[in-house]
Amino acid sequence: MTKPIKKAIFPVAGLGTRFLPATKAIPKEMLPVVDRPLIQYAVDEARDAGIEEFIFVTGRGKGAMEDHFDHSVELEQVLEERNKIEALEILHEAMPTAGHIAYVRQQKPLGLGHAVWCARNFIHDEPFVVVLPDDLILAAPGCLRQMVEAYQEVGGNVVAVEDVPREHTNRYGILDIVSDNGRLAEAKGLVEKPDPAVAPSTLSIIGRYILQPEVFAELDRHEKGAGGEIQLTDAMAKTIGKVPFHGLRFEGERYDCGSKLGFIEANLAFALASDELHDGVTDLIKKLV
Ligand code: UTP
């Protein structure tokens, strides 16, 4: 029997430099894909996987995210007066239950591992998930739900993985595989951003993790890795042998919304997946190209 997973950490303290000047005054995670900010997709995916508590690791200038998950009294009043019931419902659906959302500041962006470590006091002796909102995944059922199902089979740490072109291994955490059944790959090691020539495989970790609390003992050491940052991959790698480690090839499409091209592709893909927008966007694309 695996322990149930009820808590999610959303590391959102990064600077988002690739989207400047858009991200000067608003957080990257508030950039909209079609009509919802990235962070909303991440929270909805987690909720759909059974997550009940949402912990955001934020930094300076990220206040818009807190406002997004709070009531906007004036706006709601105006919508009520104008009888805009549908719009009101959309606002209410986005809202986590009071007391189930928490914010902690990373203070300095020292790396993803450090961001997760900043949330340590919210996690007790229990598994939890980490979601990077930059990685937007179009999937049904959602990627995290698929991962929770895989976790119930194998336990331990489970990360979402996908095969990348070998020349891109230096952008990701890469699995060193001991066995692979095409859906689940068990790892005997992990390497953060390896050079393509020495990468142990092309199976890369993307922004969804189910982790056991043992990872905090490793993050406590504050060891710096690739790029001088405290890497989550390094801490996870050190728990291999103590807890099983699997990569799940999820069903769905991942869009890297941390890059401009990935963000534009996500907007097109999500618009094409919407009944309301599909035909209009198809015409639009034909006209433009
Ligand atoms: P990125 O590597 O995409 O960095 O972080 P970034 O700062 O957000 O964006 P660029 O590269 O400057 O454009 C991946 C995820 O890890 C979080 C980010 O918020 C993002 O969700 N992160 C990264 C932190 O929370 N803290 C850090 O110290 C580093």
Side-chain angles (χ1 to χ4, degrees):
M1 261 294 276
T2 49
K3 279 191 186 175
I5 308 171
K6 296 291 169 201
K7 295 181 183 171
I9 299 175
F10 301 86
V12 288
L15 300 176
T17 53
R18 283 171 288 173
F19 275 93
L20 283 170
T23 48
K24 186 181 170 202
I26 58 160
K28 173 172 71 172
E29 298 76 16
M30 286 303 292
L31 296 177
V33 167
V34 183
D35 55 4
R36 281 193 284 169
L38 284 170
I39 192 66
Q40 181 73 58
Y41 287 98
V43 166
D44 289 349
E45 185 184 324
R47 199 189 275 132
D48 176 60
I51 298 300
E52 293 171 2
E53 296 194 41
F54 306 86
I55 302 142
F56 290 78
V57 182
T58 70
R60 283 176 291 282
K62 300 276 181 171
M65 256 185 292
E66 295 193 31
D67 290 341
H68 181 73
F69 291 110
D70 196 357
H71 284 283
S72 170
V73 179
E74 248 177 51
L75 174 62
E76 286 172 36
Q77 207 174 326
V78 173
L79 292 175
E80 251 167 57
E81 281 163 15
R82 297 186 184 170
N83 207 25
K84 302 261 186 201
I85 306 299
E86 244 177 74
L88 266 171
E89 274 170 8
I90 289 171
L91 291 187
H92 288 154
E93 274 166 20
M95 199 86 59
T97 313
H100 285 233
I101 188 159
Y103 300 89
V104 59
R105 282 214 179 188
Q106 190 186 8
Q107 295 164 328
K108 279 186 186 169
L110 299 179
L112 179 59
H114 181 260
V116 171
W117 177 80
C118 287
R120 66 199 177 284
N121 290 337
F122 289 92
I123 309 288
H124 305 293
D125 187 24
E126 61 194 327
F128 59 99
V129 306
V130 175
V131 185
L132 305 188
D134 291 13
D135 275 332
L136 182 57
I137 300 173
L138 189 54
C143 179
L144 268 180
R145 173 109 72 98
Q146 296 177 41
M147 289 171 68
V148 168
E149 281 165 14
Y151 164 74
Q152 285 160 352
E153 292 166 35
V154 293
N157 292 340
V158 178
V159 296
V161 293
E162 63 182 23
D163 276 300
V164 295
R166 185 160 276 276
E167 62 268 28
H168 292 172
T169 57
N170 56 3
R171 301 180 189 175
Y172 298 94
I174 300 289
L175 267 59
D176 188 357
I177 297 163
V178 64
S179 69
D180 188 352
N181 68 9
R183 175 173 166 259
L184 278 165
E186 183 162 11
K188 60 175 162 40
L190 305 172
V191 195
E192 182 63 26
K193 300 189 173 67
D195 202 70
V198 295
S201 77
T202 55
L203 207 51
S204 74
I205 303 175
I206 58 122
R208 303 287 183 278
Y209 312 75
I210 290 178
L211 297 176
Q212 300 300 317
E214 282 82 353
V215 76
F216 286 115
E218 302 303 333
L219 290 172
D220 277 343
R221 295 184 220 280
H222 290 245
E223 279 171 24
K224 288 185 184 158
E229 295 195 345
I230 299 170
Q231 298 287 356
L232 181 59
T233 307
D234 296 342
M236 292 188 304
K238 294 208 179 89
T239 67
I240 294 178
K242 295 175 204 145
V243 284
F245 193 103
H246 289 88
L248 172 73
R249 287 190 183 82
F250 58 96
E251 283 177 27
E253 206 55 54
R254 186 220 22 149
Y255 303 97
D256 174 12
C257 291
S259 79
K260 286 176 203 167
L261 210 53
F263 179 71
I264 292 164
E265 190 185 5
N267 266 287
L268 290 173
F270 275 72
L272 287 171
S274 131
D275 291 341
E276 181 197 343
L277 295 172
H278 180 276
D279 293 352
V281 172
T282 307
D283 290 346
L284 230 159
I285 294 169
K286 280 186 197 149
K287 200 171 93 187
L288 288 172
V289 298

